[in-house]
Amino acid sequence: MAISGGNLFAMDAVDQEILDVLRADSRTSMRELAQRLGISRTSAYARVKRLVDSGVIRAFTIEVDPAALGLGLSAYIHVRTKQNSWKSFRKKVWALEEAAHVALVSGDFDAVILVRARDAEHLRELVLERIQSLPEVVATQTVLVFEEHVGQ
């Protein structure tokens, strides 16, 4: 079972296998998907369409290596914001090209931002001059990422 748009979506083992294959390579053809799962192409198309239409599959995407783009330094920026400022803060942070992920969280901080920077100077400028200067920001804490693994 999966929750999609607040509704429970009934998934069987074949649906789960489809998700596993497409997570590993979203460019997998329907022909190859059907062969790997031992189902017809018609069934593969129908199942993928049902997963998309129900919202279980939200997008087919690519994974880019930030270091190959010259963004070899990653960090999590923990941010404490002023009361009731999440929506305006989120909009401004998503406008930063360095922001890879933004989340509202519980705990000592209100938000966590995963950022990608060229180097330490770029990260310093991003945090001290652009993020901390936002009127919604009360405090930040920067956590450098030494090694990263993306799971499926």
PDB file of all heavy atoms in Angstrom, residues 101-140:
ATOM      1  N   HIS A 101      17.248  21.189  -1.975  1.00  0.00           N
ATOM      2  CA  HIS A 101      16.129  20.613  -1.212  1.00  0.00           C
ATOM      3  C   HIS A 101      15.820  21.560  -0.061  1.00  0.00           C
ATOM      4  O   HIS A 101      16.725  22.069   0.587  1.00  0.00           O
ATOM      5  CB  HIS A 101      16.519  19.230  -0.674  1.00  0.00           C
ATOM      6  CG  HIS A 101      15.445  18.555   0.103  1.00  0.00           C
ATOM      7  ND1 HIS A 101      14.451  17.814  -0.511  1.00  0.00           N
ATOM      8  CD2 HIS A 101      15.183  18.506   1.427  1.00  0.00           C
ATOM      9  CE1 HIS A 101      13.632  17.343   0.415  1.00  0.00           C
ATOM     10  NE2 HIS A 101      14.057  17.751   1.603  1.00  0.00           N
ATOM     11  N   VAL A 102      14.541  21.780   0.177  1.00  0.00           N
ATOM     12  CA  VAL A 102      14.105  22.637   1.282  1.00  0.00           C
ATOM     13  C   VAL A 102      13.015  21.892   2.034  1.00  0.00           C
ATOM     14  O   VAL A 102      12.077  21.381   1.425  1.00  0.00           O
ATOM     15  CB  VAL A 102      13.537  23.985   0.771  1.00  0.00           C
ATOM     16  CG1 VAL A 102      13.082  24.859   1.928  1.00  0.00           C
ATOM     17  CG2 VAL A 102      14.563  24.712  -0.088  1.00  0.00           C
ATOM     18  N   ALA A 103      13.154  21.808   3.369  1.00  0.00           N
ATOM     19  CA  ALA A 103      12.165  21.078   4.167  1.00  0.00           C
ATOM     20  C   ALA A 103      11.822  21.843   5.435  1.00  0.00           C
ATOM     21  O   ALA A 103      12.697  22.402   6.092  1.00  0.00           O
ATOM     22  CB  ALA A 103      12.707  19.697   4.538  1.00  0.00           C
ATOM     23  N   LEU A 104      10.552  21.840   5.772  1.00  0.00           N
ATOM     24  CA  LEU A 104      10.066  22.328   7.062  1.00  0.00           C
ATOM     25  C   LEU A 104      10.230  21.170   8.033  1.00  0.00           C
ATOM     26  O   LEU A 104       9.778  20.056   7.743  1.00  0.00           O
ATOM     27  CB  LEU A 104       8.589  22.732   6.940  1.00  0.00           C
ATOM     28  CG  LEU A 104       7.881  23.196   8.210  1.00  0.00           C
ATOM     29  CD1 LEU A 104       8.485  24.503   8.712  1.00  0.00           C
ATOM     30  CD2 LEU A 104       6.388  23.377   7.919  1.00  0.00           C
ATOM     31  N   VAL A 105      10.905  21.384   9.160  1.00  0.00           N
ATOM     32  CA  VAL A 105      11.217  20.297  10.083  1.00  0.00           C
ATOM     33  C   VAL A 105      10.823  20.659  11.509  1.00  0.00           C
ATOM     34  O   VAL A 105      10.558  21.819  11.819  1.00  0.00           O
ATOM     35  CB  VAL A 105      12.726  19.940  10.036  1.00  0.00           C
ATOM     36  CG1 VAL A 105      13.129  19.439   8.659  1.00  0.00           C
ATOM     37  CG2 VAL A 105      13.593  21.123  10.456  1.00  0.00           C
ATOM     38  N   SER A 106      10.825  19.652  12.365  1.00  0.00           N
ATOM     39  CA  SER A 106      10.593  19.896  13.789  1.00  0.00           C
ATOM     40  C   SER A 106      11.942  19.924  14.503  1.00  0.00           C
ATOM     41  O   SER A 106      12.953  19.526  13.940  1.00  0.00           O
ATOM     42  CB  SER A 106       9.709  18.797  14.379  1.00  0.00           C
ATOM     43  OG  SER A 106      10.384  17.560  14.319  1.00  0.00           O
ATOM     44  N   GLY A 107      11.941  20.381  15.741  1.00  0.00           N
ATOM     45  CA  GLY A 107      13.179  20.405  16.512  1.00  0.00           C
ATOM     46  C   GLY A 107      13.647  21.820  16.775  1.00  0.00           C
ATOM     47  O   GLY A 107      12.866  22.767  16.751  1.00  0.00           O
ATOM     48  N   ASP A 108      14.951  21.967  16.984  1.00  0.00           N
ATOM     49  CA  ASP A 108      15.524  23.266  17.326  1.00  0.00           C
ATOM     50  C   ASP A 108      15.470  24.263  16.176  1.00  0.00           C
ATOM     51  O   ASP A 108      15.516  25.467  16.382  1.00  0.00           O
ATOM     52  CB  ASP A 108      16.976  23.104  17.784  1.00  0.00           C
ATOM     53  CG  ASP A 108      17.081  22.412  19.132  1.00  0.00           C
ATOM     54  OD1 ASP A 108      16.098  22.438  19.887  1.00  0.00           O
ATOM     55  OD2 ASP A 108      18.155  21.848  19.412  1.00  0.00           O
ATOM     56  N   PHE A 109      15.430  23.762  14.936  1.00  0.00           N
ATOM     57  CA  PHE A 109      15.366  24.625  13.768  1.00  0.00           C
ATOM     58  C   PHE A 109      14.054  24.395  13.048  1.00  0.00           C
ATOM     59  O   PHE A 109      13.403  23.376  13.224  1.00  0.00           O
ATOM     60  CB  PHE A 109      16.565  24.366  12.846  1.00  0.00           C
ATOM     61  CG  PHE A 109      17.860  24.844  13.445  1.00  0.00           C
ATOM     62  CD1 PHE A 109      18.638  24.002  14.219  1.00  0.00           C
ATOM     63  CD2 PHE A 109      18.286  26.150  13.245  1.00  0.00           C
ATOM     64  CE1 PHE A 109      19.817  24.454  14.790  1.00  0.00           C
ATOM     65  CE2 PHE A 109      19.466  26.607  13.810  1.00  0.00           C
ATOM     66  CZ  PHE A 109      20.233  25.756  14.583  1.00  0.00           C
ATOM     67  N   ASP A 110      13.668  25.358  12.225  1.00  0.00           N
ATOM     68  CA  ASP A 110      12.389  25.295  11.519  1.00  0.00           C
ATOM     69  C   ASP A 110      12.516  24.724  10.110  1.00  0.00           C
ATOM     70  O   ASP A 110      11.551  24.178   9.573  1.00  0.00           O
ATOM     71  CB  ASP A 110      11.781  26.699  11.428  1.00  0.00           C
ATOM     72  CG  ASP A 110      11.587  27.306  12.804  1.00  0.00           C
ATOM     73  OD1 ASP A 110      10.936  26.664  13.639  1.00  0.00           O
ATOM     74  OD2 ASP A 110      12.105  28.418  13.049  1.00  0.00           O
ATOM     75  N   ALA A 111      13.683  24.869   9.512  1.00  0.00           N
ATOM     76  CA  ALA A 111      13.874  24.440   8.133  1.00  0.00           C
ATOM     77  C   ALA A 111      15.279  23.893   7.946  1.00  0.00           C
ATOM     78  O   ALA A 111      16.203  24.267   8.677  1.00  0.00           O
ATOM     79  CB  ALA A 111      13.639  25.600   7.176  1.00  0.00           C
ATOM     80  N   VAL A 112      15.411  23.030   6.953  1.00  0.00           N
ATOM     81  CA  VAL A 112      16.714  22.516   6.542  1.00  0.00           C
ATOM     82  C   VAL A 112      16.798  22.701   5.033  1.00  0.00           C
ATOM     83  O   VAL A 112      15.865  22.362   4.303  1.00  0.00           O
ATOM     84  CB  VAL A 112      16.895  21.026   6.905  1.00  0.00           C
ATOM     85  CG1 VAL A 112      18.214  20.503   6.372  1.00  0.00           C
ATOM     86  CG2 VAL A 112      16.808  20.816   8.398  1.00  0.00           C
ATOM     87  N   ILE A 113      17.915  23.253   4.593  1.00  0.00           N
ATOM     88  CA  ILE A 113      18.144  23.479   3.166  1.00  0.00           C
ATOM     89  C   ILE A 113      19.395  22.716   2.763  1.00  0.00           C
ATOM     90  O   ILE A 113      20.446  22.879   3.393  1.00  0.00           O
ATOM     91  CB  ILE A 113      18.385  24.971   2.860  1.00  0.00           C
ATOM     92  CG1 ILE A 113      17.329  25.853   3.511  1.00  0.00           C
ATOM     93  CG2 ILE A 113      18.458  25.214   1.357  1.00  0.00           C
ATOM     94  CD1 ILE A 113      17.746  27.318   3.569  1.00  0.00           C
ATOM     95  N   LEU A 114      19.302  21.900   1.734  1.00  0.00           N
ATOM     96  CA  LEU A 114      20.482  21.276   1.152  1.00  0.00           C
ATOM     97  C   LEU A 114      20.946  22.206   0.045  1.00  0.00           C
ATOM     98  O   LEU A 114      20.169  22.528  -0.870  1.00  0.00           O
ATOM     99  CB  LEU A 114      20.166  19.892   0.584  1.00  0.00           C
ATOM    100  CG  LEU A 114      21.284  19.217  -0.223  1.00  0.00           C
ATOM    101  CD1 LEU A 114      22.535  19.001   0.630  1.00  0.00           C
ATOM    102  CD2 LEU A 114      20.792  17.901  -0.813  1.00  0.00           C
ATOM    103  N   VAL A 115      22.185  22.689   0.158  1.00  0.00           N
ATOM    104  CA  VAL A 115      22.717  23.603  -0.847  1.00  0.00           C
ATOM    105  C   VAL A 115      23.944  23.000  -1.512  1.00  0.00           C
ATOM    106  O   VAL A 115      24.649  22.172  -0.930  1.00  0.00           O
ATOM    107  CB  VAL A 115      23.073  24.990  -0.253  1.00  0.00           C
ATOM    108  CG1 VAL A 115      21.825  25.675   0.297  1.00  0.00           C
ATOM    109  CG2 VAL A 115      24.150  24.894   0.802  1.00  0.00           C
ATOM    110  N   ARG A 116      24.193  23.427  -2.739  1.00  0.00           N
ATOM    111  CA  ARG A 116      25.376  23.019  -3.506  1.00  0.00           C
ATOM    112  C   ARG A 116      26.151  24.289  -3.845  1.00  0.00           C
ATOM    113  O   ARG A 116      25.579  25.238  -4.379  1.00  0.00           O
ATOM    114  CB  ARG A 116      24.978  22.331  -4.805  1.00  0.00           C
ATOM    115  CG  ARG A 116      23.932  21.253  -4.675  1.00  0.00           C
ATOM    116  CD  ARG A 116      24.492  19.977  -4.160  1.00  0.00           C
ATOM    117  NE  ARG A 116      23.469  18.924  -4.252  1.00  0.00           N
ATOM    118  CZ  ARG A 116      23.564  17.769  -3.676  1.00  0.00           C
ATOM    119  NH1 ARG A 116      24.638  17.479  -2.961  1.00  0.00           N
ATOM    120  NH2 ARG A 116      22.610  16.888  -3.787  1.00  0.00           N
ATOM    121  N   ALA A 117      27.444  24.284  -3.531  1.00  0.00           N
ATOM    122  CA  ALA A 117      28.281  25.460  -3.770  1.00  0.00           C
ATOM    123  C   ALA A 117      29.562  25.053  -4.498  1.00  0.00           C
ATOM    124  O   ALA A 117      29.964  23.892  -4.472  1.00  0.00           O
ATOM    125  CB  ALA A 117      28.630  26.135  -2.443  1.00  0.00           C
ATOM    126  N   ARG A 118      30.191  26.036  -5.137  1.00  0.00           N
ATOM    127  CA  ARG A 118      31.446  25.774  -5.849  1.00  0.00           C
ATOM    128  C   ARG A 118      32.572  25.452  -4.881  1.00  0.00           C
ATOM    129  O   ARG A 118      33.373  24.549  -5.102  1.00  0.00           O
ATOM    130  CB  ARG A 118      31.835  26.985  -6.692  1.00  0.00           C
ATOM    131  CG  ARG A 118      30.936  27.232  -7.880  1.00  0.00           C
ATOM    132  CD  ARG A 118      31.422  28.411  -8.724  1.00  0.00           C
ATOM    133  NE  ARG A 118      31.549  29.648  -7.962  1.00  0.00           N
ATOM    134  CZ  ARG A 118      30.538  30.466  -7.679  1.00  0.00           C
ATOM    135  NH1 ARG A 118      29.323  30.188  -8.085  1.00  0.00           N
ATOM    136  NH2 ARG A 118      30.741  31.578  -6.982  1.00  0.00           N
ATOM    137  N   ASP A 119      32.629  26.254  -3.787  1.00  0.00           N
ATOM    138  CA  ASP A 119      33.734  26.131  -2.849  1.00  0.00           C
ATOM    139  C   ASP A 119      33.333  26.806  -1.536  1.00  0.00           C
ATOM    140  O   ASP A 119      32.207  27.293  -1.401  1.00  0.00           O
ATOM    141  CB  ASP A 119      35.008  26.763  -3.427  1.00  0.00           C
ATOM    142  CG  ASP A 119      34.789  28.187  -3.929  1.00  0.00           C
ATOM    143  OD1 ASP A 119      33.952  28.932  -3.358  1.00  0.00           O
ATOM    144  OD2 ASP A 119      35.463  28.574  -4.909  1.00  0.00           O
ATOM    145  N   ALA A 120      34.277  26.855  -0.593  1.00  0.00           N
ATOM    146  CA  ALA A 120      33.982  27.427   0.729  1.00  0.00           C
ATOM    147  C   ALA A 120      33.616  28.905   0.641  1.00  0.00           C
ATOM    148  O   ALA A 120      32.731  29.374   1.365  1.00  0.00           O
ATOM    149  CB  ALA A 120      35.172  27.224   1.664  1.00  0.00           C
ATOM    150  N   GLU A 121      34.259  29.644  -0.232  1.00  0.00           N
ATOM    151  CA  GLU A 121      33.945  31.069  -0.362  1.00  0.00           C
ATOM    152  C   GLU A 121      32.522  31.275  -0.886  1.00  0.00           C
ATOM    153  O   GLU A 121      31.781  32.133  -0.402  1.00  0.00           O
ATOM    154  CB  GLU A 121      34.952  31.766  -1.276  1.00  0.00           C
ATOM    155  CG  GLU A 121      34.723  33.266  -1.329  1.00  0.00           C
ATOM    156  CD  GLU A 121      35.816  33.992  -2.085  1.00  0.00           C
ATOM    157  OE1 GLU A 121      36.972  33.540  -2.062  1.00  0.00           O
ATOM    158  OE2 GLU A 121      35.488  35.018  -2.693  1.00  0.00           O
ATOM    159  N   HIS A 122      32.137  30.470  -1.853  1.00  0.00           N
ATOM    160  CA  HIS A 122      30.773  30.538  -2.394  1.00  0.00           C
ATOM    161  C   HIS A 122      29.765  30.186  -1.301  1.00  0.00           C
ATOM    162  O   HIS A 122      28.738  30.868  -1.145  1.00  0.00           O
ATOM    163  CB  HIS A 122      30.662  29.588  -3.586  1.00  0.00           C
ATOM    164  CG  HIS A 122      29.328  29.568  -4.246  1.00  0.00           C
ATOM    165  ND1 HIS A 122      28.917  28.518  -5.025  1.00  0.00           N
ATOM    166  CD2 HIS A 122      28.291  30.447  -4.257  1.00  0.00           C
ATOM    167  CE1 HIS A 122      27.709  28.753  -5.489  1.00  0.00           C
ATOM    168  NE2 HIS A 122      27.296  29.911  -5.036  1.00  0.00           N
ATOM    169  N   LEU A 123      30.050  29.155  -0.508  1.00  0.00           N
ATOM    170  CA  LEU A 123      29.159  28.754   0.583  1.00  0.00           C
ATOM    171  C   LEU A 123      29.062  29.861   1.631  1.00  0.00           C
ATOM    172  O   LEU A 123      27.977  30.185   2.103  1.00  0.00           O
ATOM    173  CB  LEU A 123      29.645  27.453   1.230  1.00  0.00           C
ATOM    174  CG  LEU A 123      28.798  26.929   2.391  1.00  0.00           C
ATOM    175  CD1 LEU A 123      27.376  26.609   1.935  1.00  0.00           C
ATOM    176  CD2 LEU A 123      29.465  25.699   3.001  1.00  0.00           C
ATOM    177  N   ARG A 124      30.187  30.463   1.979  1.00  0.00           N
ATOM    178  CA  ARG A 124      30.194  31.556   2.953  1.00  0.00           C
ATOM    179  C   ARG A 124      29.316  32.709   2.474  1.00  0.00           C
ATOM    180  O   ARG A 124      28.484  33.226   3.206  1.00  0.00           O
ATOM    181  CB  ARG A 124      31.626  32.063   3.184  1.00  0.00           C
ATOM    182  CG  ARG A 124      31.713  33.170   4.257  1.00  0.00           C
ATOM    183  CD  ARG A 124      32.953  34.038   4.120  1.00  0.00           C
ATOM    184  NE  ARG A 124      33.014  34.757   2.875  1.00  0.00           N
ATOM    185  CZ  ARG A 124      32.279  35.845   2.587  1.00  0.00           C
ATOM    186  NH1 ARG A 124      31.428  36.339   3.438  1.00  0.00           N
ATOM    187  NH2 ARG A 124      32.412  36.450   1.413  1.00  0.00           N
ATOM    188  N   GLU A 125      29.476  33.092   1.213  1.00  0.00           N
ATOM    189  CA  GLU A 125      28.676  34.179   0.650  1.00  0.00           C
ATOM    190  C   GLU A 125      27.192  33.815   0.663  1.00  0.00           C
ATOM    191  O   GLU A 125      26.337  34.628   1.021  1.00  0.00           O
ATOM    192  CB  GLU A 125      29.150  34.475  -0.780  1.00  0.00           C
ATOM    193  CG  GLU A 125      28.429  35.632  -1.459  1.00  0.00           C
ATOM    194  CD  GLU A 125      27.208  35.195  -2.252  1.00  0.00           C
ATOM    195  OE1 GLU A 125      27.152  34.040  -2.718  1.00  0.00           O
ATOM    196  OE2 GLU A 125      26.282  36.015  -2.385  1.00  0.00           O
ATOM    197  N   LEU A 126      26.872  32.581   0.303  1.00  0.00           N
ATOM    198  CA  LEU A 126      25.485  32.130   0.281  1.00  0.00           C
ATOM    199  C   LEU A 126      24.848  32.200   1.662  1.00  0.00           C
ATOM    200  O   LEU A 126      23.764  32.760   1.837  1.00  0.00           O
ATOM    201  CB  LEU A 126      25.417  30.695  -0.262  1.00  0.00           C
ATOM    202  CG  LEU A 126      24.052  30.023  -0.249  1.00  0.00           C
ATOM    203  CD1 LEU A 126      23.076  30.751  -1.156  1.00  0.00           C
ATOM    204  CD2 LEU A 126      24.198  28.568  -0.667  1.00  0.00           C
ATOM    205  N   VAL A 127      25.535  31.671   2.661  1.00  0.00           N
ATOM    206  CA  VAL A 127      24.970  31.623   4.014  1.00  0.00           C
ATOM    207  C   VAL A 127      24.978  32.998   4.670  1.00  0.00           C
ATOM    208  O   VAL A 127      23.945  33.481   5.141  1.00  0.00           O
ATOM    209  CB  VAL A 127      25.729  30.607   4.901  1.00  0.00           C
ATOM    210  CG1 VAL A 127      25.238  30.660   6.341  1.00  0.00           C
ATOM    211  CG2 VAL A 127      25.583  29.199   4.333  1.00  0.00           C
ATOM    212  N   LEU A 128      26.141  33.639   4.725  1.00  0.00           N
ATOM    213  CA  LEU A 128      26.273  34.885   5.485  1.00  0.00           C
ATOM    214  C   LEU A 128      25.643  36.100   4.810  1.00  0.00           C
ATOM    215  O   LEU A 128      25.133  36.984   5.491  1.00  0.00           O
ATOM    216  CB  LEU A 128      27.749  35.170   5.770  1.00  0.00           C
ATOM    217  CG  LEU A 128      28.485  34.128   6.613  1.00  0.00           C
ATOM    218  CD1 LEU A 128      29.932  34.549   6.817  1.00  0.00           C
ATOM    219  CD2 LEU A 128      27.789  33.895   7.936  1.00  0.00           C
ATOM    220  N   GLU A 129      25.684  36.142   3.495  1.00  0.00           N
ATOM    221  CA  GLU A 129      25.196  37.337   2.822  1.00  0.00           C
ATOM    222  C   GLU A 129      23.810  37.195   2.216  1.00  0.00           C
ATOM    223  O   GLU A 129      23.092  38.185   2.101  1.00  0.00           O
ATOM    224  CB  GLU A 129      26.197  37.761   1.745  1.00  0.00           C
ATOM    225  CG  GLU A 129      27.542  38.157   2.352  1.00  0.00           C
ATOM    226  CD  GLU A 129      28.577  38.528   1.306  1.00  0.00           C
ATOM    227  OE1 GLU A 129      28.184  38.917   0.183  1.00  0.00           O
ATOM    228  OE2 GLU A 129      29.776  38.414   1.613  1.00  0.00           O
ATOM    229  N   ARG A 130      23.432  35.981   1.848  1.00  0.00           N
ATOM    230  CA  ARG A 130      22.126  35.855   1.191  1.00  0.00           C
ATOM    231  C   ARG A 130      21.072  35.201   2.081  1.00  0.00           C
ATOM    232  O   ARG A 130      19.969  35.714   2.195  1.00  0.00           O
ATOM    233  CB  ARG A 130      22.276  35.123  -0.131  1.00  0.00           C
ATOM    234  CG  ARG A 130      23.113  35.980  -1.104  1.00  0.00           C
ATOM    235  CD  ARG A 130      23.000  35.552  -2.511  1.00  0.00           C
ATOM    236  NE  ARG A 130      23.623  34.250  -2.661  1.00  0.00           N
ATOM    237  CZ  ARG A 130      23.395  33.437  -3.682  1.00  0.00           C
ATOM    238  NH1 ARG A 130      22.584  33.774  -4.638  1.00  0.00           N
ATOM    239  NH2 ARG A 130      23.996  32.277  -3.761  1.00  0.00           N
ATOM    240  N   ILE A 131      21.394  34.093   2.737  1.00  0.00           N
ATOM    241  CA  ILE A 131      20.384  33.428   3.576  1.00  0.00           C
ATOM    242  C   ILE A 131      20.182  34.189   4.883  1.00  0.00           C
ATOM    243  O   ILE A 131      19.051  34.486   5.265  1.00  0.00           O
ATOM    244  CB  ILE A 131      20.753  31.944   3.823  1.00  0.00           C
ATOM    245  CG1 ILE A 131      20.685  31.171   2.494  1.00  0.00           C
ATOM    246  CG2 ILE A 131      19.819  31.329   4.871  1.00  0.00           C
ATOM    247  CD1 ILE A 131      21.147  29.737   2.562  1.00  0.00           C
ATOM    248  N   GLN A 132      21.268  34.510   5.575  1.00  0.00           N
ATOM    249  CA  GLN A 132      21.122  35.215   6.854  1.00  0.00           C
ATOM    250  C   GLN A 132      20.559  36.624   6.696  1.00  0.00           C
ATOM    251  O   GLN A 132      20.037  37.183   7.651  1.00  0.00           O
ATOM    252  CB  GLN A 132      22.458  35.261   7.600  1.00  0.00           C
ATOM    253  CG  GLN A 132      22.855  33.926   8.181  1.00  0.00           C
ATOM    254  CD  GLN A 132      24.129  33.999   9.003  1.00  0.00           C
ATOM    255  OE1 GLN A 132      24.800  35.023   9.073  1.00  0.00           O
ATOM    256  NE2 GLN A 132      24.470  32.888   9.644  1.00  0.00           N
ATOM    257  N   SER A 133      20.628  37.183   5.503  1.00  0.00           N
ATOM    258  CA  SER A 133      20.081  38.532   5.299  1.00  0.00           C
ATOM    259  C   SER A 133      18.574  38.526   5.039  1.00  0.00           C
ATOM    260  O   SER A 133      17.954  39.587   5.002  1.00  0.00           O
ATOM    261  CB  SER A 133      20.795  39.229   4.144  1.00  0.00           C
ATOM    262  OG  SER A 133      20.435  38.625   2.910  1.00  0.00           O
ATOM    263  N   LEU A 134      17.981  37.342   4.860  1.00  0.00           N
ATOM    264  CA  LEU A 134      16.531  37.285   4.667  1.00  0.00           C
ATOM    265  C   LEU A 134      15.836  37.738   5.946  1.00  0.00           C
ATOM    266  O   LEU A 134      16.217  37.321   7.045  1.00  0.00           O
ATOM    267  CB  LEU A 134      16.089  35.858   4.310  1.00  0.00           C
ATOM    268  CG  LEU A 134      16.592  35.308   2.970  1.00  0.00           C
ATOM    269  CD1 LEU A 134      16.217  33.840   2.826  1.00  0.00           C
ATOM    270  CD2 LEU A 134      16.051  36.124   1.815  1.00  0.00           C
ATOM    271  N   PRO A 135      14.824  38.574   5.846  1.00  0.00           N
ATOM    272  CA  PRO A 135      14.164  39.095   7.056  1.00  0.00           C
ATOM    273  C   PRO A 135      13.492  38.014   7.905  1.00  0.00           C
ATOM    274  O   PRO A 135      13.311  38.208   9.101  1.00  0.00           O
ATOM    275  CB  PRO A 135      13.138  40.093   6.505  1.00  0.00           C
ATOM    276  CG  PRO A 135      12.988  39.772   5.066  1.00  0.00           C
ATOM    277  CD  PRO A 135      14.250  39.116   4.619  1.00  0.00           C
ATOM    278  N   GLU A 136      13.167  36.878   7.319  1.00  0.00           N
ATOM    279  CA  GLU A 136      12.513  35.784   8.060  1.00  0.00           C
ATOM    280  C   GLU A 136      13.493  34.992   8.930  1.00  0.00           C
ATOM    281  O   GLU A 136      13.086  34.262   9.822  1.00  0.00           O
ATOM    282  CB  GLU A 136      11.844  34.797   7.079  1.00  0.00           C
ATOM    283  CG  GLU A 136      10.756  35.387   6.239  1.00  0.00           C
ATOM    284  CD  GLU A 136      11.259  36.022   4.945  1.00  0.00           C
ATOM    285  OE1 GLU A 136      12.475  36.156   4.751  1.00  0.00           O
ATOM    286  OE2 GLU A 136      10.403  36.403   4.130  1.00  0.00           O
ATOM    287  N   VAL A 137      14.792  35.117   8.672  1.00  0.00           N
ATOM    288  CA  VAL A 137      15.807  34.280   9.328  1.00  0.00           C
ATOM    289  C   VAL A 137      16.225  34.865  10.667  1.00  0.00           C
ATOM    290  O   VAL A 137      16.605  36.026  10.772  1.00  0.00           O
ATOM    291  CB  VAL A 137      17.030  34.099   8.406  1.00  0.00           C
ATOM    292  CG1 VAL A 137      18.156  33.359   9.127  1.00  0.00           C
ATOM    293  CG2 VAL A 137      16.622  33.341   7.144  1.00  0.00           C
ATOM    294  N   VAL A 138      16.176  33.997  11.693  1.00  0.00           N
ATOM    295  CA  VAL A 138      16.622  34.366  13.037  1.00  0.00           C
ATOM    296  C   VAL A 138      18.036  33.836  13.282  1.00  0.00           C
ATOM    297  O   VAL A 138      18.883  34.529  13.832  1.00  0.00           O
ATOM    298  CB  VAL A 138      15.644  33.816  14.108  1.00  0.00           C
ATOM    299  CG1 VAL A 138      16.179  34.048  15.512  1.00  0.00           C
ATOM    300  CG2 VAL A 138      14.269  34.414  13.931  1.00  0.00           C
ATOM    301  N   ALA A 139      18.299  32.588  12.864  1.00  0.00           N
ATOM    302  CA  ALA A 139      19.612  31.974  13.091  1.00  0.00           C
ATOM    303  C   ALA A 139      19.827  30.846  12.087  1.00  0.00           C
ATOM    304  O   ALA A 139      18.872  30.283  11.555  1.00  0.00           O
ATOM    305  CB  ALA A 139      19.708  31.421  14.512  1.00  0.00           C
ATOM    306  N   THR A 140      21.108  30.525  11.847  1.00  0.00           N
ATOM    307  CA  THR A 140      21.451  29.407  10.972  1.00  0.00           C
ATOM    308  C   THR A 140      22.554  28.574  11.603  1.00  0.00           C
ATOM    309  O   THR A 140      23.293  29.046  12.472  1.00  0.00           O
ATOM    310  CB  THR A 140      21.947  29.874   9.578  1.00  0.00           C
ATOM    311  OG1 THR A 140      23.177  30.579   9.736  1.00  0.00           O
ATOM    312  CG2 THR A 140      20.920  30.716   8.873  1.00  0.00           C
TER     313      THR A 140
END
